[in-house]
Amino acid sequence: MEDHTPRKTDAPILVRKYGGSSLADVERIRTVARDLVACRREGHRLVVVVSAMGSTTNELEAMARQASARPARRELDMLLSVGERITMSLLCMVLEDEGCPAISFTGSQVGIITDTSHTDARILRVTAQRVRAALAQDRVVVVAGFQGVSEEKEITTLGRGGSDTTAVALAAALGAQRCEILKDVDGILSADPKAVPEAWLHRRLSYAELRDIAATGCGVVHIRAVEYAEKHGVPLQVRSSFHNRPGTSVGPAGELPLAATAAVGSDRQNRFRPLAMTIAKDVTRLNLSTTRLETARRWREEILCRVEPCGVLAEWLDHGRHNMRWEVLAPRPILQDLLAVLAEKEDPELSIGREDGLTCYSFAGGRPDSWLEVQKHLDGIMADAGCRSWRLRVDGSALRVLVTQAEAPPVDDLGSCLHQALLQP
């Protein structure tokens, strides 16, 4: 049945972003299309940003690794940008079958202009001229997320989770009423509910609070999307694509009630009450140091070339006139290219420390009076959980607890213990 519902040219614009799990197959795409048709009938002008279907991006990257041990980043961008184009085309086909006029565009077609950093580009500006023209023709606009074009006319991608940033950037450029980020979870929770069933939902967060959560590696919303939304004042709503419950609203701190946190105890060691916990498995800790400036410069270039910043959990740098020490925590696949180069190019002037097989429990927000009090408190928690060997690292307002997987309780069991002690209301 064709949708003839008239829309005013000044009707509110709603930008929606759907993740890969929400678009995992054609049947899910049909469900999303029906949801969009219903939203359009309510009077909204719609711009829809899509990720690649399911695990398509992982499959394309694996194919690239089969073809080349170290694929060129430009060619990776050309390959990986295909996934979102498949999704956008299929969704438009289904919308047209539902009687809803729709048109698809790539990132370059809508004028998402980026810098030249292949696989990790930053958005410089958004023109969105073709989007405005299509909205004026009463069409639903479907945009391939995660990609843009540089001023040198090269296709670029924005790094993992970059579709979130695409959606927020379009919402800012179009003056949208809000940007909705639809996922396979209910919103921003205190932990991953698959690992910690008792995790609870944040109804409201400030931009700063969500930025702290995203910085710990939580994959629900990309940190650059949060930063862009805060800079341009774009209201966010993070919710599930599988039902219509409201999820988490995100906006300026002064316009939102404080986020819910666990009750703060009266004793000092219990004053640390973070907003959320993120668990990362199969993490590698890599430490590189040298006392020679030329060696530091040479390996700095290798690091910048081989490591995707968006995949790093945490990074520490101590660089002076006569020394450089760089330490990073990241899932092992993020470091695989750099580790291969380190193995090939034995450098007597570079000291290398490496620890594999770690699980990292990251806690966002809730800066305490003293991190030593937190360490004292964690001593008891970890002992009660049966974990005798662990390490604590602090960067900014984030606390990270590192354990060796082979020597610790099951990951989810320890996660539940930490959540109960530090995050449970």
Side-chain angles (χ1 to χ4, degrees):
M1 178 180 176
E2 192 167 351
D3 178 13
H4 294 290
T5 307
R7 261 151 300 281
K8 296 179 180 179
T9 56
D10 61 348
I13 297 173
L14 180 62
V15 176
R16 280 189 174 180
K17 181 264 177 177
Y18 288 89
S21 56
S22 301
L23 302 158
D25 52 40
V26 174
E27 193 51 46
R28 277 298 308 160
I29 290 175
R30 291 189 193 282
T31 301
V32 166
R34 289 191 289 269
D35 187 37
L36 292 171
V37 170
C39 183
R40 184 170 182 266
R41 285 175 179 155
E42 293 173 359
H44 289 97
R45 291 184 290 165
L46 288 175
V47 177
V48 183
V49 175
V50 295
S51 296
M53 297 169 64
S55 59
T56 299
T57 301
N58 291 338
E59 292 166 3
L60 290 171
E61 187 162 2
M63 198 181 303
R65 299 287 175 183
Q66 291 172 7
S68 170
R70 292 178 204 147
R73 289 195 172 194
R74 178 190 183 277
E75 302 310 323
L76 268 177
D77 278 353
M78 295 294 286
L79 176 66
L80 298 182
S81 63
V82 171
E84 283 72 16
R85 298 183 186 205
I86 293 171
T87 314
M88 74 179 192
S89 301
L90 291 173
L91 179 55
C92 277
M93 293 174 192
V94 175
L95 284 168
E96 290 285 353
D97 281 355
E98 292 285 334
C100 179
I103 187 169
S104 65
F105 294 120
T106 65
S108 59
Q109 286 176 315
V110 300
I112 294 178
I113 312 302
T114 75
D115 63 19
T116 56
S117 303
H118 284 295
T119 74
D120 190 42
R122 299 287 185 112
I123 294 175
L124 301 178
R125 63 183 183 277
V126 179
T127 61
Q129 292 176 354
R130 297 187 71 178
V131 177
R132 293 186 184 92
L135 289 172
Q137 295 168 355
D138 204 19
R139 290 179 167 183
V140 171
V141 179
V142 182
V143 179
F146 172 66
Q147 60 190 258
V149 63
S150 71
E151 293 181 319
E152 287 74 22
K153 308 300 182 187
E154 292 285 347
I155 297 297
T156 55
T157 63
L158 309 179
R160 290 302 182 103
S163 293
D164 294 347
T165 312
T166 302
V168 172
L170 282 169
L174 297 167
Q177 185 181 58
R178 67 179 178 277
C179 178
E180 295 183 357
I181 298 178
L182 287 85
K183 314 290 285 191
D184 60 354
V185 292
D186 290 348
I188 307 298
L189 285 86
S190 59
D192 182 350
K194 296 175 184 175
V196 183
E198 56 272 23
W200 44 271
L201 176 71
H202 286 285
R203 300 291 181 186
R204 296 177 180 84
L205 289 169
S206 68
Y207 293 123
E209 288 168 334
L210 183 54
R211 187 175 64 245
D212 283 347
I213 293 172
T216 62
C218 172
V220 179
V221 182
H222 196 285
I223 187 169
R224 289 183 189 169
V226 183
E227 291 170 343
Y228 206 106
E230 182 174 22
K231 180 179 179 180
H232 296 276
V234 177
L236 300 179
Q237 185 177 19
V238 185
R239 64 180 184 86
S240 173
S241 65
F242 293 84
H243 56 69
N244 289 321
R245 292 193 287 275
T248 305
S249 297
V250 184
E255 297 178 11
L256 295 167
L258 292 175
T261 57
V264 177
S266 57
D267 56 305
R268 288 177 61 189
Q269 71 175 11
N270 285 327
R271 289 180 185 173
F272 176 58
R273 292 298 176 182
L275 294 164
M277 174 181 73
T278 302
I279 304 174
K281 304 175 186 178
D282 193 20
V283 170
T284 291
R285 183 186 69 85
L286 181 64
N287 186 308
L288 306 180
S289 61
T290 181
T291 56
R292 292 183 63 87
L293 186 58
E294 188 55 41
T295 301
R297 288 172 176 167
R298 185 170 66 252
W299 281 104
R300 179 186 63 196
E301 296 309 310
E302 287 286 359
I303 292 166
L304 292 174
C305 178
R306 304 292 179 186
V307 179
E308 285 191 40
C310 61
V312 168
L313 296 176
E315 180 184 25
W316 298 270
L317 177 64
D318 181 6
H319 192 271
R321 184 176 178 183
H322 299 295
N323 71 291
M324 185 275 287
R325 179 177 176 272
W326 179 74
E327 183 174 342
V328 65
L329 281 175
R332 186 171 51 84
I334 297 296
L335 299 176
Q336 61 184 357
D337 284 356
L338 178 60
L339 294 173
V341 172
L342 287 168
E344 288 177 11
K345 300 180 180 180
E346 293 187 12
D347 190 337
E349 296 173 351
L350 185 72
S351 297
I352 304 172
R354 176 178 171 184
E355 193 173 0
D356 295 313
L358 301 174
T359 299
C360 178
Y361 300 85
S362 298
F363 298 86
R367 186 186 294 273
D369 294 337
S370 168
W371 287 113
L372 288 174
E373 290 285 357
V374 176
Q375 191 273 338
K376 178 181 176 182
H377 186 34
L378 280 168
D379 260 344
I381 297 170
M382 300 298 276
D384 291 344
C387 185
R388 303 294 176 184
S389 178
W390 56 282
R391 178 181 302 165
L392 181 150
R393 292 300 302 263
V394 175
D395 56 284
S397 62
L399 166 72
R400 303 180 195 274
V401 176
L402 299 171
V403 300
T404 303
Q405 290 171 188
E407 301 173 2
V411 172
D412 293 353
D413 290 353
L414 182 54
S416 289
C417 289
L418 289 166
H419 186 273
Q420 174 67 32
L422 298 175
L423 283 150
Q424 199 62 33

